[in-house]
């Protein structure tokens, strides 16, 4: 899927001349009608112009990159119809910076644009959540609040206005994400989501696989895993270690993002620096 990253790279060059890659959550007092902060479950569907150039499948549906995501979507739908998937999948990467969140978002958007598919994207990267940032949205509660406080999932869902796509935000920060995702409550919530929304495709965006343990627990709660790697960044050793970790899980495939420029990650934890303030 190197053409996806090529299209994103072109968009990036244009965007870097004008504005940051990830727009801040909308907070202006003159925001568009229907847009609000701290979107709660009882709120009507949010209507926003998603002009972030990274959201290729929302803004450039006829582009070669969008076509590649449609091919990936077709494969997933086919496998689920054959009974090889339970419509719930996890998207992760060996380390940070390989494009797992953008892959999750663009795949979710592509699937939600079809009339027959409803999609729930779960923001399970609670260390450094960015799904809502890409969409220019905010939320005061989410997945962690469902686990810790017993909130019902339906109370914190956000309808994006992009096809039939809903988001389960990450929620408030927690001191130890591993304990959260390894808990019986998390297990129960994932089973509840799959049972309650049996007609939905569920995509779970997680933390990177090698530096953090959470994806290993989530992988056991979903039907398949999609591994995102980046050319020039993912070394053979990191890929081998990732595949070893996932050897007992249903690895759907590997998405390869090919780029010519690689940014320094300053180590695993440098990018995913975690503060609770």
């Amino acid at each position: 899927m190197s053409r996806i990253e090529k299209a994103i790279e072109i968009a990036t060059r244009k965007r870097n001349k004008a504005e940051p890659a990830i727009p801040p959550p909308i907070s202006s007092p003159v925001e568009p009608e229907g847009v609000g902060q701290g979107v709660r479950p009882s709120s009507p569907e949010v209507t926003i112009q998603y002009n972030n150039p990274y959201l290729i499948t929302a803004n450039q549906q006829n582009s070669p990159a969008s076509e590649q995501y449609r091919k990936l979507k077709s494969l997933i739908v086919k496998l689920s119809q054959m009974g090889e998937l339970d419509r719930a999948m996890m998207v992760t990467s060996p380390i940070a910076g390989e494009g797992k969140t953008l892959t999750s978002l663009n795949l979710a958007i592509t699937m939600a644009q079809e009339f027959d598919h409803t999609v729930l994207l779960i923001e399970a990267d609670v260390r450094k959540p960015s799904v809502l940032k890409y969409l220019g949205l905010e939320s005061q509660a989410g997945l962690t609040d469902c686990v810790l406080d017993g909130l019902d999932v339906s109370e914190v869902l956000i309808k994006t206005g992009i096809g039939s796509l809903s988001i389960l935000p990450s929620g408030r920060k927690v001191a130890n994400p591993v304990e959260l995702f390894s808990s019986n409550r998390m297990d129960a919530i994932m089973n509840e989501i799959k049972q309650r929304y049996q007609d939905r495709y569920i995509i779970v965006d997680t933390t990177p696989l090698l530096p953090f343990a959470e994806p290993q627990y989530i992988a056991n709660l979903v039907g398949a895993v999609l591994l995102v790697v980046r050319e020039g960044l993912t070394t053979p050793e990191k890929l081998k270690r990732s595949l070893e970790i996932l050897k007992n899980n249903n690895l759907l495939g590997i998405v390869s993002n090919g780029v010519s420029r690689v940014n320094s990650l300053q180590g695993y934890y440098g990018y995913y620096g975690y503060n609770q303030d």
Side-chain angles (χ1 to χ4, degrees), residues 55-211:
L55 303 182
I56 297 295
T57 52
N59 302 319
Q60 302 179 38
Q61 296 186 30
N62 295 322
S63 67
S66 292
E67 181 61 28
Q68 296 303 308
Y69 278 110
R70 283 192 287 270
K71 289 180 179 179
L72 179 58
K73 174 207 66 179
S74 297
L75 172 63
I76 293 171
V77 172
K78 180 179 179 180
L79 290 175
S80 66
Q81 291 174 341
M82 294 171 59
E84 297 185 21
L85 295 178
D86 64 358
R87 296 197 174 204
M89 70 194 73
M90 177 185 85
V91 180
T92 189
S93 59
I95 58 176
E98 294 172 300
K100 65 175 183 57
T101 298
L102 283 173
T103 298
S104 300
L105 261 171
N106 280 294
L107 177 59
I109 291 171
T110 299
M111 300 187 75
Q113 287 169 339
E114 291 204 3
F115 293 113
D116 295 336
H117 303 148
T118 59
V119 182
L120 174 61
L121 176 56
I122 301 178
E123 190 176 41
D125 184 347
V126 302
R127 294 179 184 268
K128 191 176 182 182
S130 58
V131 169
L132 293 190
K133 290 181 181 180
Y134 278 112
L135 298 174
L137 296 173
E138 284 187 348
S139 178
Q140 300 301 319
L143 177 61
T144 58
D145 303 281
C146 293
V147 177
L148 298 174
D149 300 335
L151 292 182
D152 191 274
V153 170
S154 62
E155 296 181 41
V156 296
L157 290 183
I158 296 177
K159 295 181 179 180
T160 65
I162 301 179
S164 55
L165 174 62
S166 295
I167 306 290
L168 175 56
S170 62
R172 71 176 188 265
K173 292 183 178 179
V174 294
N176 192 335
V178 176
E179 291 184 0
L180 182 97
F181 286 102
S182 62
S183 66
N184 291 332
R185 175 62 180 160
M186 181 65 196
D187 192 346
I189 287 176
M190 284 300 300
N191 287 330
E192 179 185 351
I193 289 175
K194 289 190 289 186
Q195 292 299 319
R196 183 186 299 185
Y197 307 105
Q198 295 186 28
D199 61 335
R200 279 184 172 175
Y201 284 92
I202 302 168
I203 300 174
V204 186
D205 178 48
T206 73
T207 52
L209 185 62
L210 296 182

Side-chain angles (χ1 to χ4, degrees), residues 218-252:
I218 297 176
N220 294 324
L221 303 177
V222 297
V225 177
L226 195 62
L227 185 65
V228 180
V229 300
R230 174 167 289 189
E231 183 179 336
L233 181 61
T234 309
T235 65
E237 178 188 358
K238 290 183 175 65
L239 178 57
K240 182 178 179 180
R241 288 170 56 195
S242 298
L243 294 176
E244 180 66 21
I245 292 173
L246 297 171
K247 65 181 180 180
N248 294 323
N249 300 108
N250 181 15
L251 181 61
L252 177 62

Side-chain angles (χ1 to χ4, degrees), residues 12-79:
T12 302
R13 294 198 193 102
K14 296 179 180 178
R15 186 175 182 82
N16 286 340
K17 296 179 181 179
E19 58 185 299
I22 303 178
I26 296 174
S27 58
S28 170
V30 291
E31 60 192 4
E33 182 180 359
V35 178
Q37 299 185 39
V39 180
R40 299 297 296 174
S42 58
S43 302
E45 182 174 293
V46 176
T47 302
I48 289 181
Q49 289 185 346
Y50 297 102
N51 56 3
N52 191 313
Y54 287 116
L55 303 182
I56 297 295
T57 52
N59 302 319
Q60 302 179 38
Q61 296 186 30
N62 295 322
S63 67
S66 292
E67 181 61 28
Q68 296 303 308
Y69 278 110
R70 283 192 287 270
K71 289 180 179 179
L72 179 58
K73 174 207 66 179
S74 297
L75 172 63
I76 293 171
V77 172
K78 180 179 179 180
L79 290 175

